[in-house]
Amino acid sequence: MRKYIRILGSVVLLAAIAWRLDWGQVVAAFGRVRPAYFLAAVLLYVVLQVSSALRWRLLAQAQGFDGSPLRYVAYYFIGMFFNLALPTSVGGDVVRVWYLAGQDGSGPRTGRRLAALTSVLADRVNGVVVLVVLACTSALLCPTPLPEWVVWTVGGIATATALGLSAVPVLRAVFATYPRLGAAPKLQHLRRLADRGWSYCDWPVEVTAATLLSIVVQVGNAAVGYLIGEALGLPVPAVYYGLIVPLVALLALVPISLNGMGLREAGYVVLFAPLGIESAAAVTFGLLLFAATAAVSLGGVGFYLLGRYPRFRPEAAAARTAASGRQEPPLAA
């Protein structure tokens, strides 16, 4: 049901944009694209995704997982492909958990699903926190006066992020104060997840290195936006991409459309408007940026089909488990 709601959301948003758009201007904007800048954006995005995979490896090592950098790059790109193919923006995260929990660097199945989930969540949270910091910094440094609603939006997102980060220590304090609450069957996994999240405090070197990689990745993503803007010849200050790219990335996570389709394009139309950028150019920017990221994400097909890794087929795995009469390994404590 949720999938159909998201499809409907994307259709409504895209139809509204298409109805108000001058498609002649869109065609003209595509005709002005400078291929060298677009290619540079694609190549830079490849480097950034490899960096993201190495960041995840650092956070997974803190949860006891091993494995070569190439293995994490492969899993990350396979996850990117499923993010593109599945009707949700977190489908790739589920795939990464499945791969990491099922097989660490030593080869045999581990069954440590909670540890794998923690590493993927930590990877997401680390990236989002740096993303929000980049948006706040860019808002402060932007040479163009920002509309008041943009300032309030950035401030609201920063506040929500800070409150979200406090969830782990708050949950641990609640469970420590009320042990019976933490022992409740429906809350045991949440307690274990909070404990594992807190365990990153014992790995300051890995967390610091992962954060530095996040800075590189998020600034690089803004640079990808800048290159796409240059490909279109948009008169936009470079620092402004450090604001709009993070805001639209966060907007695309709102679960009311299919993989953010429609939300992204509407976000760029609204955020480029204060700079006098026409809707056609803003939509073209969004489409080109999506094309660049999608092209890189499709690289995961190569790892999935040609790599020596298990295929992500949860239905078949469940059938094998039922046939063997064995229960799925429990979540690790």
Side-chain angles (χ1 to χ4, degrees):
M1 183 63 180
R2 292 180 180 178
K3 178 179 71 173
Y4 295 112
I5 292 175
R6 291 181 176 183
I7 292 175
L8 178 61
S10 288
V11 170
V12 171
L13 287 167
L14 291 173
I17 293 171
W19 179 60
R20 301 191 61 178
L21 207 58
D22 185 338
W23 287 98
Q25 292 183 0
V26 173
V27 173
F30 272 109
R32 294 194 302 268
V33 172
R34 291 181 281 183
Y37 281 100
F38 180 77
L39 179 60
V42 172
L43 295 177
L44 176 57
Y45 193 68
V46 172
V47 174
L48 297 177
Q49 297 317 294
V50 172
S51 300
S52 296
L54 298 179
R55 175 188 64 196
W56 177 39
R57 180 172 182 261
L58 287 168
L59 297 170
Q61 286 177 331
Q63 293 297 321
F65 290 100
D66 200 356
S68 67
L70 179 59
R71 182 179 296 275
Y72 284 87
V73 169
Y75 291 172
Y76 201 92
F77 271 79
I78 292 172
M80 288 171 57
F81 165 67
F82 277 98
N83 251 348
L84 186 66
L86 295 177
T88 170
S89 57
V90 296
D93 292 340
V94 175
V95 174
R96 286 198 285 153
V97 170
W98 185 85
Y99 273 101
L100 187 59
Q103 187 171 321
D104 65 5
S106 58
R109 188 168 184 81
T110 66
R112 298 181 61 193
R113 292 172 294 175
L114 186 60
L117 174 62
T118 304
S119 74
V120 172
L121 287 177
D123 179 61
R124 274 278 190 170
V125 170
N126 189 278
V128 167
V129 169
V130 174
L131 192 72
V132 172
V133 172
L134 174 62
C136 293
T137 304
S138 299
L140 291 173
L141 298 178
C142 190
T144 305
L146 298 174
E148 187 174 345
W149 66 267
V150 174
V151 176
W152 280 102
T153 298
V154 173
I157 291 174
T159 302
T161 302
L163 291 174
L165 287 175
S166 67
V168 169
V170 168
L171 284 173
R172 295 188 78 248
V174 169
F175 290 140
T177 305
Y178 305 100
R180 291 184 179 179
L181 188 64
K186 293 184 178 180
L187 295 177
Q188 284 183 5
H189 294 335
L190 182 61
R191 175 182 59 81
R192 292 174 180 176
L193 186 62
D195 289 341
R196 282 196 171 274
W198 186 257
S199 70
Y200 279 107
C201 295
D202 299 326
W203 299 84
V205 174
E206 285 76 8
V207 172
T208 300
T211 302
L212 291 175
L213 279 174
S214 281
I215 294 173
V216 171
V217 169
Q218 302 303 357
V219 173
N221 283 330
V224 170
Y226 169 78
L227 289 171
I228 296 295
E230 288 298 296
L232 288 169
L234 300 182
V236 177
V239 70
Y240 197 69
Y241 290 102
L243 174 64
I244 62 171
V245 171
L247 289 182
V248 174
L250 294 172
L251 178 64
L253 295 176
V254 179
I256 62 171
S257 69
L258 192 66
N259 290 335
M261 292 175 60
L263 279 176
R264 278 189 302 266
E265 291 74 18
Y268 287 123
V269 168
V270 171
L271 289 170
F272 272 128
L275 298 182
I277 304 299
E278 295 181 349
S279 297
V283 169
T284 306
F285 173 89
L287 293 175
L288 283 176
L289 186 56
F290 176 74
T293 58
V296 177
S297 298
L298 288 174
V301 176
F303 288 106
Y304 183 70
L305 296 179
L306 304 178
R308 296 181 179 180
Y309 308 109
R311 300 288 175 83
F312 178 64
R313 294 173 179 172
E315 296 84 0
R320 287 196 302 269
T321 300
S324 65
R326 292 181 285 105
Q327 296 295 320
E328 186 72 13
L331 291 170

